[in-house]
Structure formats: structure tokens, C-alpha cells
Amino acid sequence: MRKILVLMMALVMTLSLAACGGADTSGTGAADWPYKDVTREQIEAISDVLAELVPLYNEAATAAKENGWEADETTVQELHVLYVLIETAKAGVADPSEYEGVTDMVTVVEQYQALLGAMPDMIAKVSKPYEK
């Protein structure tokens, strides 16, 4: 479970640090795309991840509540960070200008995909009754 928390925190730090830098605007796509720091393909990739990640998050959150994981501070924090990352991604997909200043969108997309890959472990964990 620590892997998931570390992965989520790494994504948060990447988004925070990436937002501080400038960006190279070369190769960002068609001329009618007004965003210089993110491509259509990157937004589509994040949107695709969200389509799978949101239902898995909801399943994990429901299972955690039903099985008493609210008593485990680490799990609560992991689910909260995951919720924040999902909401951040939703905002960025709805308005790609939210990604202005992010210098490494490739890494951001990869980390969202890694979160998606980690969800089966989270669901398996919270699907069992919490034991202190």
C-alpha cells in the first residue's frame, strides 16, 4: 500500500514542480490548438485514464467505508490524495489551460496511468475487513 501512497505523492510533487517552469512550445499539435503546454493526445490520454480510474476509485471508497478502513489513517490519506488527483485531472481535461506551465506532461500522463494500474491492489486491500 505504501507504493500507492508514494506513487500518488510523486504525482502531486510532479504537478507542483512542473507548474513552476516554462515550456517549449515546439511540437504541440495543430495550429488551432490554443494550448502550448499540453497536446490533444495528452488530454485524451488523461481522459481515457479517468474513464477507468473514477469507477475504480468509487469502488475502493465504497469498499473502504463498508469494511471499516476509515479507521486506518494511511488508507484515508491515500484515498483522499487519489480523489484530489482525479479532481485535478478532471479540471485539466475540462480546461486544458489548467496545465499551462507544466513542463513535463508526458510524466503526468504516465503517472496517471500508473495510478490506474495500482487500483486493483487498493481495491483488494479495502475489500477485506479492516483489522487493527
Side-chain angles (χ1 to χ4, degrees):
M1 233 39 278
R2 289 185 178 159
K3 290 179 186 177
I4 294 173
L5 182 60
V6 168
L7 186 60
M8 286 189 263
M9 296 307 274
L11 181 59
V12 169
M13 289 188 304
T14 298
L15 288 172
S16 299
L17 291 173
C20 295
D24 179 6
T25 60
S26 62
T28 58
D32 63 336
W33 183 251
Y35 309 105
K36 64 179 180 167
D37 296 329
V38 62
T39 66
R40 280 190 174 110
E41 292 78 16
Q42 291 164 332
I43 292 298
E44 289 170 6
I46 293 172
S47 180
D48 291 345
V49 167
L50 283 174
E52 295 180 56
L53 186 60
V54 169
L56 293 174
Y57 167 80
N58 290 336
E59 180 181 344
T62 300
K65 186 173 183 178
E66 290 173 352
N67 291 308
W69 284 91
E70 294 171 325
D72 182 60
E73 185 177 326
T74 301
T75 301
V76 170
Q77 289 174 350
E78 290 171 348
L79 288 169
H80 178 71
V81 168
L82 187 54
Y83 174 80
V84 169
L85 292 171
I86 287 170
E87 292 303 309
T88 300
K90 285 180 182 178
V93 168
D95 180 8
S97 70
E98 293 288 320
Y99 290 113
E100 289 300 315
V102 175
T103 59
D104 191 0
M105 280 303 297
V106 171
T107 300
V108 172
V109 172
E110 288 172 352
Q111 288 184 337
Y112 273 107
Q113 291 166 336
L115 284 174
L116 178 60
M119 284 307 297
D121 290 338
M122 172 65 90
I123 292 169
K125 173 187 167 182
V126 298
S127 293
K128 300 172 187 170
Y130 175 70
E131 296 177 12
K132 192 170 188 179

